[in-house]
Amino acid sequence: MTAATHSSLFPPVPDSADAVLEGLDPEQRAVATALHGPVCVLAGAGTGKTRAITHRIAYGVRAGILQPSSVLAVTFTNRAAGEMRGRLRQLGAQGVQARTFHSAALRQLQFFWPKAIGGSLPRLVDRKIQLVADAAAACRIRLDRGELRDVTAEIEWSKVTQTVPADYALAALKAGRESPRDPAEIAQLYSVYEDLKRDRVVIDFEDVLLLTVGILQDRHDIADQVRAQYQHFVVDEYQDVSPLQQRLLELWLGERDSLCVVGDASQTIYSFTGATPDHLLDFRTRHPGATVVKLVRDYRSTPQVVHLANGLLAQASGRAADHRLELVSQRPAGPEPVYTEYADEPAEAEGAARRIRELMAAGVPAAEIAVLFRTNSQSETYEQALADAGVSYQLRGAERFFDRPEVRRAGVALRAAARFGGNDALLDDTVDLPSQVRAVLSGEGWTSEPPAGSGAVRERWESLAALVNLAHDVVAARPAATLADFVTELDERAGAQHAPTVQGVTLASLHSAKGLEWDVVFLVGVAEGMMPITYAKTDEQIEEERRLLYVGVTRARERLHVSWSLSRSPGGRPNRRPSHFLDGLRPGSTGTVGRGTGTGGGGVERGFGGGPSVAPRRTQRTPARCRVCGRTLTDAGEMKLMRCDGCPSDMDEGLYERLRDWRADQARLSGQPAFCVFTDRTLMAIAETAPDDDRELARIPGVGVRKLNRYGADVLAICAGRQPGEGDADD
């Protein structure tokens, strides 16, 4: 697995802006030098996208084109954000903000809450599952642990897709979601969950985005302040943005177009969380003048691995498949992928463990080997098989490294030793940093030999061993490093959630392996019913399973082992068959490979101008003009009112107040902030226009089809002087 990057382990800082560009291939250089206007980078797996975008930021900063404090780079994991910050520091671009969407939004929310709302920001709950359990108890609905997790996921999906409890059932049906319980029950649980949060004065992670969006929509002075701070935006993994994250990004941008997005539709594997590649695929439609750069030179994997990856996508269908990238390996040839069939799952696990021992005996480090599976429930069999074979391992996707109790205790002990080491007998015979770390951690349970077997004892030892190995890495990069330097390194890594590499084989689900890579990858359980998973029914769900397998394949640098078993248990009926995704790709199978479509090779497209075939043109819109003075409107708030802020308003104050009272009732019923019903600006526009019918109401900015269908009858009744729900006197 790629070790966590950090400034102390990087090469020297480039001495000039031009030096930042050295070593980039032509397409990566095109990304780095495209500093104006919207930029879309379509980057295949292993093509150096992080390298390209960090060098783009660094080149802009070092050339004096970008002010570091005006750049906000956002991604999806703390690890990726920490890696980006480390690379930028080493490239001489200190001061650039690299954060996750949630981290950036939380920072703004904490700063502006007193001004926008007043008082202190409600407490942020780390884990919402207990609140969901309390909601279930209040509703007298019994949920087991699995159902609790599934219902929590449904609530998260609802919030990132901006679906209120009352709309959940219809929205889930339209999205083709398999609800874990009756949709009406989930809607009830969701509503009570929101009530409990409000009663306890807490917010969850999705609220961080929702509340930030609400403040930026309703408080133009705050939005202007944020936009004055951040003027250039970079979004990594853009295929994974949710509608809510996209809305936040639009509010950060305002009317500007200084945006660089990076993504690969073929790696969209989180649609169950609300992520959608549509924003990436529609980027040229929204920004016809965008520069598009395609990165297809694969520096990670051998031609044999890349051939299998390309073959998987060549059989794909759907919109993402039409935009697939044909990777071209830049590495020397390696061994062909190995395909193995086993009688049952235990035999498959034992076979993988046996091959792993052989690889380690041949000199492959355990940390450069991974076993990847579709579901976490498959892990236990492989844990036992590796333990029986005497192979150390680590579980990825479990508790975060720096949150583990043994790591916290080790940190306390190391800080104490760094501060009072001169009086610590443990350190009397130590001669260098690694020996000091070993001495301190021996008091926490570390031993030179790992404990036998698997389980909690072995996992604790692996955590401490990772800290010992990190000490060796630090000394290799900085021979004069002290114990105090090592503690500083740990603190920085903990802040960025940059876990050190554990010297063991990695066991991980395919989802949690995204963004990582190893020399050797074992893809196990690649059988029908598991890949694709049984509950993948629709064409879209099947294609996402194919993309998930593609992500697994592209984690391998040199060797790839693909396996499946004919039955679950020894002696069971051998009624399984290998995944149909492998048809035509594995030896002895039949199938059609290659569709002849996709986006072809790498390159640069700089907007349109050479004819309509280069990019679709945006529909020409008539400029919005003030209905009072006729001036062209550019401010979003003024465009919603269809008049300048300084022009006189003919708003019906009484109607406005009635609409506000009605909105408050609707917000209370739906358990959402008032702005989620209609913003103040939209209510003002309605009160000024006093529409008579659906057509007039629909013309008002801020009244979309969904809100028209849901609230239109009530709003028109209020505008006509009636109470919502009253019949028309002429009927």
Side-chain angles (χ1 to χ4, degrees), residues 45-81:
T47 57
K49 67 180 178 63
T50 305
R51 176 179 174 83
I53 59 176
T54 52
H55 280 69
R56 176 183 186 271
I57 296 170
Y59 177 72
V61 169
R62 299 291 297 276
I65 299 170
L66 304 178
Q67 290 298 315
S69 60
S70 72
V71 180
L72 177 59
V74 288
T75 187
F76 284 80
T77 66
N78 286 314
R79 184 191 63 81

Side-chain angles (χ1 to χ4, degrees), residues 391-394 401 404 406 446 450-451 456-469 501-505:
V391 176
S392 62
Y393 64 87
Q394 63 161 326
F401 182 83
R404 297 174 186 173
E406 66 270 19
W446 180 84
V457 173
R458 180 60 174 259
E459 289 180 23
R460 285 195 293 270
W461 184 88
E462 296 286 1
S463 297
L464 298 178
L467 296 176
V468 172
N469 292 326
T501 302
V502 175
Q503 293 304 312
V505 172

Side-chain angles (χ1 to χ4, degrees), residues 29-283:
R29 182 180 285 253
V31 173
T33 54
L35 296 173
H36 301 287
V39 178
C40 179
V41 183
L42 301 175
T47 57
K49 67 180 178 63
T50 305
R51 176 179 174 83
I53 59 176
T54 52
H55 280 69
R56 176 183 186 271
I57 296 170
Y59 177 72
V61 169
R62 299 291 297 276
I65 299 170
L66 304 178
Q67 290 298 315
S69 60
S70 72
V71 180
L72 177 59
V74 288
T75 187
F76 284 80
T77 66
N78 286 314
R79 184 191 63 81
E83 179 179 355
M84 195 177 289
R85 285 194 296 270
R87 292 198 189 196
L88 289 170
R89 281 197 304 269
Q90 194 55 34
L91 291 169
Q94 295 91 340
V96 172
Q97 290 291 316
R99 297 180 174 274
T100 64
F101 269 102
H102 283 89
S103 172
L106 180 59
R107 196 162 181 247
Q108 293 173 17
L109 194 60
Q110 289 169 329
F111 184 81
F112 290 113
W113 185 270
K115 178 179 179 181
I117 309 298
S120 300
L121 181 69
R123 179 175 63 86
L124 179 64
V125 291
D126 289 331
R127 297 176 71 249
K128 59 172 68 70
I129 199 162
Q130 184 56 55
L131 269 172
V132 176
D134 293 346
C139 296
R140 300 191 178 187
I141 296 175
R142 294 179 62 86
L143 299 176
D144 61 29
R145 178 179 295 184
E147 288 175 319
L148 266 176
R149 192 165 52 244
D150 291 342
V151 170
T152 300
E154 288 303 292
I155 291 174
E156 291 174 348
W157 172 82
S158 298
K159 298 185 77 165
V160 301
T161 55
Q162 302 174 81
T163 302
V164 297
D167 292 344
Y168 168 77
L170 181 59
L173 179 65
K174 287 183 176 178
R177 293 182 73 82
E178 291 281 345
S179 298
R181 302 276 299 204
D182 182 89
E185 281 189 336
I186 293 179
Q188 181 187 9
L189 288 167
Y190 179 14
S191 179
V192 173
Y193 168 83
E194 292 295 321
D195 290 340
L196 286 176
K197 283 199 293 99
R198 197 160 40 248
D199 293 343
R200 299 177 187 183
V201 196
V202 296
I203 59 175
D204 60 28
F205 277 99
E206 289 71 42
D207 290 330
V208 170
L209 300 183
L210 280 164
L211 291 168
T212 305
V213 164
I215 288 174
L216 294 179
Q217 281 183 162
D218 284 355
R219 290 293 299 269
H220 297 290
D221 55 330
I222 292 176
D224 289 343
Q225 194 172 340
V226 171
R227 291 167 192 160
Q229 169 71 51
Y230 297 116
Q231 297 163 27
H232 308 280
F233 297 85
V234 177
V235 184
D236 194 12
E237 303 289 3
Y238 193 55
Q239 78 278 352
D240 290 333
V241 296
S242 68
L244 182 56
Q245 289 164 331
Q246 175 65 21
R247 180 59 185 142
L248 178 59
L249 177 63
E250 290 168 355
L251 288 166
W252 281 341
L253 272 168
E255 300 298 317
R256 301 164 301 176
D257 63 0
S258 186
L259 170 65
C260 174
V261 301
V262 189
D264 178 9
S266 297
Q267 296 188 67
T268 304
I269 59 172
Y270 294 110
S271 67
F272 61 93
T273 68
T276 170
D278 289 346
H279 305 300
L280 175 67
L281 299 178
D282 293 337
F283 192 83

Side-chain angles (χ1 to χ4, degrees), residues 601-673:
V604 185
E605 299 172 12
R606 301 192 183 279
F608 67 82
S613 61
V614 182
R617 289 183 180 271
R618 196 184 261 169
T619 302
Q620 203 69 16
R621 294 181 178 178
T622 304
R625 300 186 183 278
C626 174
R627 53 191 168 82
V628 179
C629 70
R631 183 179 69 85
T632 300
L633 302 175
T634 56
D635 177 78
E638 292 182 342
M639 290 171 70
K640 184 167 286 190
L641 292 176
M642 292 305 292
R643 64 170 175 80
C644 306
D645 275 335
C647 285
S649 168
D650 53 358
M651 182 177 71
D652 182 332
E653 296 287 350
L655 174 56
Y656 179 65
E657 290 305 319
R658 292 196 298 277
L659 288 168
R660 282 176 59 87
D661 291 342
W662 166 83
R663 181 182 66 173
D665 291 339
Q666 292 297 320
R668 190 162 47 251
L669 289 172
S670 64
Q672 294 290 312

Side-chain angles (χ1 to χ4, degrees), residues 304-309 312 335-344 347-349 351-353 355-356 359 369-374 378 382 510 519-528 530-532 545-546 548-556 558-566 577-583 585-587 589:
Q304 287 73 17
V305 173
V306 168
H307 177 72
L308 175 57
L312 280 171
E336 291 289 339
V338 176
Y339 300 88
T340 310
E341 183 174 279
Y342 293 93
D344 51 64
E348 186 178 2
R355 292 196 178 196
I356 288 170
L359 288 165
I369 303 173
V371 179
L372 307 182
F373 33 75
R374 176 61 179 84
Q378 296 169 268
Y382 290 89
L510 287 165
D519 286 345
V520 185
V521 167
F522 287 78
L523 285 174
V524 300
V526 188
E528 287 293 306
M530 191 60 74
M531 179 57 66
E545 293 288 298
R546 187 194 305 276
L548 190 56
L549 182 59
Y550 171 80
V551 167
V553 167
T554 55
R555 300 311 96 195
E558 298 173 4
R559 296 176 181 270
L560 181 65
H561 294 258
V562 183
S563 64
W564 58 92
S565 56
L566 298 178
R577 65 174 295 267
S579 170
H580 74 270
F581 293 152
L582 300 177
D583 290 350
L585 299 173
R586 61 183 177 87
S589 66

Side-chain angles (χ1 to χ4, degrees), residues 323-509:
H323 293 77
R324 66 185 175 87
L325 297 166
E326 188 86 13
L327 299 177
V328 181
S329 176
Q330 306 297 299
R331 296 196 58 184
E336 291 289 339
V338 176
Y339 300 88
T340 310
E341 183 174 279
Y342 293 93
D344 51 64
E345 288 183 8
E348 186 178 2
E350 290 166 10
R354 185 170 56 252
R355 292 196 178 196
I356 288 170
R357 282 206 62 168
E358 293 170 356
L359 288 165
M360 292 172 61
V364 179
E368 289 298 346
I369 303 173
V371 179
L372 307 182
F373 33 75
R374 176 61 179 84
T375 67
N376 287 318
S377 63
Q378 296 169 268
S379 173
E380 186 176 355
T381 305
Y382 290 89
E383 291 178 55
Q384 190 60 56
L386 290 173
D388 292 345
V391 176
S392 62
Y393 64 87
Q394 63 161 326
L395 280 171
R396 181 162 188 88
E399 188 177 27
R400 295 196 298 184
F401 182 83
F402 290 103
D403 291 340
R404 297 174 186 173
E406 66 270 19
V407 174
R408 289 182 175 180
R409 289 194 297 270
V412 171
L414 288 165
R415 288 184 191 88
R419 192 175 303 160
F420 308 113
N423 300 318
D424 193 335
L426 275 175
L427 303 182
D428 286 349
D429 297 325
T430 58
V431 296
D432 57 12
L433 176 59
S435 63
Q436 289 176 334
V437 172
R438 286 195 297 269
V440 173
L441 296 185
S442 65
E444 300 299 319
W446 180 84
T447 57
S448 57
E449 293 296 325
S454 59
V457 173
R458 180 60 174 259
E459 289 180 23
R460 285 195 293 270
W461 184 88
E462 296 286 1
S463 297
L464 298 178
L467 296 176
V468 172
N469 292 326
L470 178 61
H472 287 279
D473 290 342
V474 170
V475 166
R478 297 163 58 194
T482 65
L483 193 56
D485 295 330
F486 183 72
V487 169
T488 300
E489 176 92 8
L490 281 182
D491 288 342
E492 291 184 10
R493 284 173 175 264
Q497 284 299 327
H498 253 199
T501 302
V502 175
Q503 293 304 312
V505 172
T506 299
L507 296 176
S509 70

